Amino acid sequence: MKYLLKIFLSVFLFGLFNFTVLYLSAQIKYSDYFTDNSLRLDYYHTGTSDSEQILFKEIRKEAFWGGSKTNLTDKFGYGSYLVKVIDKNSNKLIFSYGYCSLFEEWQFTEEAKSINKGFPESIIIPFPKTEIIIELYKRQFEDNRFVRIFTYSVNPNDVFINSEQTVTAEIKKIHFSAESDKALDMVFIGDGYTKTEINDFYEDVNSTVDYLFSIPPFKDNKDKINIWAVAAESFESGTDLPQQSIWKSTALNTNFNTFGSERYLTSSDYHAIRNYAGLVPCDQVCIIVNTSVYGGGGIYNFWNISSAKNEYSHEVFAHELGHCLGALGDEYYDSEVATEDIYNKNTEPYQANLTTLVDFESKWKDMVSEGTEIPTKVNAENLDKVGVYEGGGYQEKGIYRPYINCKMKALGYDFCPVCQRTLTNVIKYYSE
């Protein structure tokens, strides 16, 4: 009973937090607190499977703020980490957002049990006009509570704030709908394209975008999205394939075989990625890699990476965008993954398309037709029916998904109605 009460209390407090930030967001006027630039706090995320530490590197000032100037505090509650920005004079919350990271995925690997390792990461916020306090919180596995793990005070007049532009690249607007604070700005950056292959990069971006705007909910929200292409030039063509002893010198240092998973395509060189992303207004980083090898990876509000020249590249890109943009969870449970069990079945996962039924009211219960049995049987009658189907989040038992087949479960399907609603809400959040 005490444990159930603890779960209820954590869910209640989390709901109260979301209500509070929504109320505060309505009271915040962007121009009172922020300029049109971005502040980037670079750090190293280090630790083991059961420890972590934030090691400060530097503060950078970037040319553009790509996010909304209306929605300033997070209303979704997604992600394993939460950033809060506090105005130092008034002690008022003026900005917040959630994200995930490659470090936290590594923490669930066997390697993390025996060594201490570090990954570069960044916090991206609007550049402040006056002194602020940046707070970083980590979601606790056992009860979903957010606990503060790092605090840093920023004076915008500090002479050591770095404003140099460290990289250059050709930039193109692929699709433009509205000014950046009224649109979701998706930035495509190429990796493994040499100087003579830049035209190939643009062709790959255009074909990927054409596919994106052909599927729901993106085809219905085309007028709320901007697409930018940043043509980062690599010294060598392709990407790293460690299991084949192939190593390439590329702009973003992407690689397959992440955490021992053959198809997991990632990059741990996050600061290099942000250097290129900062050349334009950026809400979402999409990296396409000059390779025909199957694979990709997507992490919420971090990056979306996919190979460009595989027959399934467009499908993989869209699936990974589900992770990166909407914090959607994987719905499959019978494939190789790079981490061990990452879900606590005694709490409700934050992913909008997964449930343990601990707090199903907070998920897609409103989309389930009256009379639908819970759990719902996987059969022909229910193929197009929102329900509660067992199997998801890499687990065959105890975690449930909303649809029998969905792009978050298998390639060749559309996003299910629950995932479409989630992605639509996120697009609106950036474009309102």
Side-chain angles (χ1 to χ4, degrees), residues 13-48:
L13 290 174
F14 187 65
L16 182 62
F17 166 78
N18 279 331
F19 172 80
T20 302
V21 297
L22 280 171
Y23 173 78
L24 288 173
S25 181
Q27 314 302 310
I28 301 167
K29 186 177 179 182
Y30 182 93
S31 59
D32 288 345
Y33 297 98
F34 303 111
T35 72
D36 291 331
N37 308 97
S38 289
L39 182 150
R40 187 177 117 194
L41 188 156
D42 285 351
Y43 62 93
Y44 295 98
H45 208 155
T46 70
T48 65

Side-chain angles (χ1 to χ4, degrees), residues 5-15 17 52 79-82 84 137-149 344 347-348 350:
L5 181 61
K6 187 177 181 182
I7 293 173
F8 171 79
L9 182 60
S10 68
V11 170
F12 171 77
L13 290 174
F14 187 65
F17 166 78
E52 65 184 316
S80 297
Y81 294 92
L82 173 67
K84 292 183 181 181
Y137 292 76
K138 170 69 177 290
R139 189 190 298 272
Q140 302 302 290
F141 181 79
E142 63 273 10
D143 58 12
N144 270 341
R145 289 181 306 113
F146 279 109
V147 173
R148 188 170 60 191
I149 61 172
N344 180 354
T347 63
E348 190 65 41
Y350 64 77

Side-chain angles (χ1 to χ4, degrees), residues 329-334 341-343 345 353-356 389-402 408-409:
D330 283 317
E331 296 179 8
Y332 54 82
Y333 50 88
D334 54 0
D341 188 2
I342 63 174
Y343 294 101
K345 295 174 185 176
N353 62 325
L354 297 177
T355 183
T356 54
Y389 302 94
E390 192 164 27
Y394 323 124
Q395 301 296 306
E396 187 175 359
K397 300 292 183 181
I399 296 181
Y400 303 84
R401 65 189 190 278
M408 298 311 297
K409 182 176 184 292

Side-chain angles (χ1 to χ4, degrees), residues 242-277:
Q243 290 179 350
Q244 299 179 34
S245 298
I246 295 174
W247 299 92
K248 298 295 183 74
S249 176
T250 63
L252 305 182
N253 293 307
T254 57
N255 63 273
F256 278 96
N257 312 142
T258 304
F259 308 149
S261 177
E262 183 178 3
R263 68 188 187 190
Y264 198 11
L265 175 60
T266 72
S267 170
S268 61
D269 198 351
Y270 194 69
H271 296 160
I273 292 170
R274 291 304 319 188
N275 287 342
Y276 284 100

